[in-house]
Amino acid sequence: MMLHTDNLGILQGQRHLLHQLDWQVHAGEVWWIAGRNGCGKSTLLATLAGLRAPAAGRITLCGQPLAATAPRQRAQRLALLPQASH
């Protein structure tokens, strides 16, 4: 398994965007995220890429905690291309 979430929770301020997500992605799979504007799609992706800390739960990348994965190693396995850059 490539990417795994266990009980993942995401907050934006006091607003709960995600609560207790258990999810996994295996090598070769393709996923997409759909939803209305402002529902938290970009926030979820930033959290899964390790650019933002989750409010609860864990994210693992290739069996290792994402937060403990060296940035270079993380970049070799994950990529995030935002729609707009600031």
Side-chain angles (χ1 to χ4, degrees):
M1 148 179 33
M2 186 82 172
L3 187 67
H4 175 81
T5 66
D6 182 38
N7 243 4
L8 184 67
I10 299 176
L11 294 174
Q12 182 67 41
Q14 296 298 315
R15 184 174 161 216
H16 287 268
L17 300 178
L18 191 65
H19 183 69
Q20 296 181 334
L21 176 67
D22 293 327
W23 179 63
Q24 54 192 349
V25 178
H26 298 277
E29 291 183 341
V30 176
W31 288 79
W32 73 92
I33 299 170
R36 68 187 196 312
N37 290 344
C39 71
K41 300 178 300 287
S42 296
T43 303
L44 170 61
L45 290 174
T47 305
L48 293 173
L51 301 176
R52 165 180 217 292
R58 302 183 305 157
I59 303 170
T60 56
L61 177 63
C62 298
Q64 302 296 317
L66 184 64
T69 305
R72 182 182 182 104
Q73 188 178 25
R74 189 181 320 148
Q76 291 172 334
R77 291 181 172 85
L78 290 176
L80 175 65
L81 181 61
Q83 184 175 357
S85 181
H86 300 283

